[in-house]
Amino acid sequence: MDTEHARVLELLKRHGWNATSFQVLEPGYSYWFDGEDACVAYVDTGRAWVVAGAPIGPHERLAEVAARFEAHAARSGRRLCFFATEQRMLDAAPLKGMAIGEQPVWDPRRWEQGVRESRSLREQLRRARAKGVRVREVSAAELKDPAHPVRAGVDGLMERWLVSRRMAPMGFLVQLSPYTWAEERRSFVAEWNGEVVAFLSAVPVYARNGWLVQHLLRGGKAPNGTSELLVDAAMRAAAAEGRGYVTLGLAPLAGEVAGWLRAARVMGTPLYDFEGLRAFKARLRPHAWDRIHLAWPERHAPHLPLYDALTAFARGSLARFGLATLLRQPRPLVQLLAVLLVPWTVLLALPANAHRFPSPLVQWGWVLFDVGLTVGLFSLLRRWRSGLATLLATLITGDACVTLLEALLYNLPRARGPGDWLVMAVAVLAPATAAGLLFWARRHPALEPA
């Protein structure tokens, strides 16, 4: 442990109140210390400093430390925002705030009562146990040894889980880092038929005598109820130690958020299951929901802090993150291809476009061919089959070749302006691009059946 991280850990053990406070020990953070009793952990996006939660220090000094850090950021030519702050930060400091979601909170000493009162939760736990799922706490030594079977099992689970994600890996407060500071964590595995099928890692929230469940990973083979069984084990362990606070962390965009954030929640569903995540946490019967905020100094426009926070999660470039996400998950691209093929086919069938074909027979041949492709693509999206993807890619390749030949021999000599050139370009390039996409996606691991 280096001196700087040792100093941060010592401050966390005295003043780490925010649910996310322990995560500032993970890679990628810079630290600004204010005297001997306070510090701020942040990431630098190049234009802004994005703080992970609130400053770490005595409650009575939050406003002072935030103001001094804001002045430091201004002198350094950086904007400033505080991501995932709780209400007491807004009460303590003159900051603007915007709700970005809610996080569920439990008193683990009341967990057993909640289980008794929830028939659905008891049933999920019963199902997992009946299937033979066994949950146990694992030591830091087991996780830190790359040759240990438990470590190998968790590594394999994480690899499969990452492949299944719709978005590219993110940074900042959502890093997958269960082995860092393993001695301070509490970790549990669920094993089924001798295999690790789920994993839970909790980190301390020192000043609240509690835990944040930072990682909860479930593999595709895990029987129903496995995740609930892991949470049950963690809650009972916390209760046995007399802890009074456990949270499963932020449910993004949940609860009362601004209208445009609610719209983002709906539009973002293909990439992130906002509703599903909140529903899972709600089924565990939390005792309260704490509202979580994005906060920023009054001198900043309200749209900039959200952009800066998203840039921090994207590891510095939203454009690069978006491209990586598209390449990681081909299904939205195939879906876009299928949707665009519908209006294209309608345009081909219009009488106004008859002059683009050697004869009506050729025109309707193309129309029928594209109708068949559309049906095939939507069938592929309902249930991905690599064989069907290969067949469609081969047919579209033939489409591109024949279209190029027709364009050179028939359309090119008859072209009369930019409109004709544009139609020819789209007619040739679109199927060529689509064929390349399908050949690439046909055996993509994110699309293979579990």
Side-chain angles (χ1 to χ4, degrees):
M1 184 192 309
D2 60 66
T3 303
E4 187 176 54
H5 282 93
R7 188 177 177 187
V8 174
L9 179 59
E10 190 272 332
L11 288 174
L12 284 172
K13 289 182 175 181
R14 290 161 53 194
H15 307 298
W17 189 91
N18 258 57
T20 56
S21 57
F22 185 85
Q23 293 173 255
V24 305
L25 290 171
E26 295 171 353
Y29 291 95
S30 299
Y31 306 105
W32 177 81
F33 293 92
D34 188 38
E36 296 299 318
D37 64 347
C39 77
V40 177
Y42 65 97
V43 297
D44 188 349
T45 69
R47 296 184 178 180
W49 288 346
V50 182
V51 179
I56 302 163
H59 178 253
E60 61 272 15
R61 288 200 63 210
L62 285 180
E64 175 191 357
V65 175
R68 289 165 63 85
F69 187 65
E70 178 188 350
H72 179 50
R75 288 193 300 270
S76 302
R78 295 291 193 272
R79 297 189 295 266
L80 176 63
C81 66
F82 299 82
F83 186 87
T85 65
E86 301 185 45
Q87 184 61 45
R88 80 166 194 165
M89 177 66 179
L90 295 179
D91 293 339
L95 299 169
K96 291 184 178 180
M98 173 175 62
I100 54 171
E102 295 179 330
Q103 73 182 14
V105 174
W106 290 262
D107 180 342
R109 296 165 296 188
R110 296 166 53 196
W111 171 257
E112 173 60 33
Q113 176 186 348
V115 172
R116 288 198 305 267
E117 294 173 353
S118 173
R119 180 178 178 181
S120 61
L121 180 54
R122 290 198 311 275
E123 178 60 18
Q124 288 295 89
L125 297 174
R126 185 201 66 78
R127 286 178 181 175
R129 292 181 180 123
K131 287 287 187 178
V133 178
R134 296 293 178 263
V135 171
R136 64 184 180 91
E137 185 169 3
V138 294
S139 67
E142 291 175 278
L143 292 176
K144 292 177 70 175
D145 180 3
H148 197 282
V150 170
R151 169 65 179 266
V154 175
D155 282 344
L157 178 65
M158 288 196 300
E159 183 179 354
R160 294 188 296 274
W161 185 85
L162 285 170
V163 167
S164 71
R165 296 303 90 189
R166 301 171 187 175
M167 291 193 292
M170 293 186 287
F172 195 39
L173 287 171
V174 290
Q175 299 180 68
L176 188 57
S177 52
Y179 307 140
T180 59
W181 302 91
E183 296 84 357
E184 299 290 330
R185 297 174 179 269
R186 302 295 292 275
S187 300
F188 302 79
V189 295
E191 296 169 318
W192 184 59
N193 292 337
E195 181 181 351
V196 174
V197 294
F199 173 72
L200 182 151
S201 177
V203 295
V205 186
Y206 293 108
R208 293 161 96 164
N209 187 33
W211 296 346
L212 160 69
V213 175
Q214 184 184 6
H215 304 305
L216 180 56
L217 310 181
R218 177 183 181 274
K221 297 180 181 179
N224 289 339
T226 299
S227 296
E228 289 85 347
L229 200 59
L230 272 172
V231 173
D232 178 74
M235 290 289 186
R236 293 178 187 279
E241 297 177 9
R243 301 192 182 276
Y245 175 88
V246 171
T247 177
L248 265 65
L250 175 66
L253 306 187
E256 294 297 323
V257 296
W260 62 277
L261 286 179
R262 291 197 297 272
R265 180 173 63 202
V266 173
M267 292 186 294
T269 298
L271 293 177
Y272 192 94
D273 188 7
F274 296 99
E275 294 291 348
L277 179 61
R278 189 193 189 282
F280 168 74
K281 295 179 178 182
R283 287 198 299 271
L284 297 172
R285 300 176 63 87
H287 301 131
W289 288 88
D290 290 343
R291 189 170 294 184
I292 304 300
H293 302 86
L294 174 65
W296 63 91
E298 295 182 352
R299 62 187 176 91
H300 294 326
H303 65 282
L304 290 175
L306 185 60
Y307 170 82
D308 292 333
L310 291 174
T311 302
F313 281 104
R315 303 176 187 261
S317 172
L318 287 174
R320 185 171 62 246
F321 176 80
L323 178 60
T325 296
L326 283 176
L327 294 177
R328 179 183 185 82
Q329 177 55 270
R331 186 179 293 273
L333 295 176
V334 178
Q335 187 172 22
L336 178 63
L337 171 64
V339 169
L340 291 178
L341 193 55
V342 174
W344 174 258
T345 303
V346 172
L347 289 174
L348 289 185
L350 293 177
N353 285 317
H355 67 283
R356 304 187 190 279
F357 302 93
S359 70
L361 183 64
V362 173
Q363 180 182 12
W364 285 102
W366 279 120
V367 170
L368 292 174
F369 178 80
D370 284 352
V371 168
L373 283 181
T374 304
V375 172
L377 287 170
F378 279 109
S379 174
L380 183 64
L381 288 167
R382 279 197 301 272
R383 183 169 68 88
W384 191 269
R385 288 147 286 173
S386 59
L388 179 57
T390 302
L391 174 62
L392 292 174
T394 303
L395 291 173
I396 295 173
T397 300
D399 175 350
C401 294
V402 174
T403 300
L404 177 60
L405 185 63
E406 182 179 320
L408 292 175
L409 298 179
Y410 182 81
N411 299 104
L412 187 60
R414 293 168 175 78
R416 294 293 181 267
D420 291 337
W421 287 95
L422 178 61
V423 171
M424 282 190 291
V426 172
V428 173
L429 293 177
T433 302
L437 169 64
L438 282 174
F439 274 123
W440 165 67
R442 58 184 175 154
R443 295 192 182 278
H444 195 285
L447 298 176
E448 288 295 310

